[in-house]
Amino acid sequence: MCKGLAALPASCLRSAKDMKHRLGFLLQRTDSCDQGASHGKAEKAPSSARVSREEARRWAESLENLISHECGLTAFRAFLKSEYSDENLEFWISCEDYKKTPCPDQLRPKAKKIYEDFISVEASKEVNLDSITREETSRNVREPTPACFDEAQRKIFRLMEKDSYGRFLKSPFYLGLVGPAGGEERKGSRARTPASNWPALVSQCA
């Protein structure tokens, strides 16, 4: 029998009392992590989980480095939610979870849900795919395999890499994590998300 789904990466952000703490608490706190799973399931990460400035700076090397790190994934997700543009990342996470499905008989219902949530014309969180990829994915879902979303997932990853990833690296939240040595905003430049919005943003990840 099939028992459960593979766990999604754990998230590592907790609430802090003021803006300074909210920007720096990933560097200062060593706490248990609450699960940021897209399907509402949760598990605790080791109590020693934390992120250093050096680790945070490596997130700027590639999007893969960012979202393969549990705290990086949580920070990026929170940033996208602040812009109301988290559907691409949620689709990517859903595809990763789908590929880890332990039983073949679970593929069809999970593939159908991903398609209805992110790809169909009536999807509530429709992602931006070209018509060819959308049609190819639609055909794949009829006879689902672990790889049926691979091309769509690859396209969405590239889209995030060219668009939202760059905005995240320029955001006051990320710049606050890496500190002055990790880069400072150029004079006169502005991130799309005002710094005043970050307290509410971070609290979403607690």
Side-chain angles (χ1 to χ4, degrees), residues 123-152:
S124 59
K125 297 177 283 187
E126 185 179 0
V127 293
N128 187 11
L129 290 171
D130 60 89
S131 60
I132 295 177
T133 304
R134 192 179 299 273
E135 290 172 6
E136 176 186 346
T137 305
S138 179
R139 290 194 299 270
N140 292 343
V141 169
R142 295 169 193 166
E143 296 294 334
T145 68
C148 71
F149 292 105
D150 280 5
E151 181 62 16

Side-chain angles (χ1 to χ4, degrees), residues 9 39 74 105 173 186 199:
H39 298 293
T74 299
D105 59 2
F173 181 50
R186 294 180 180 178

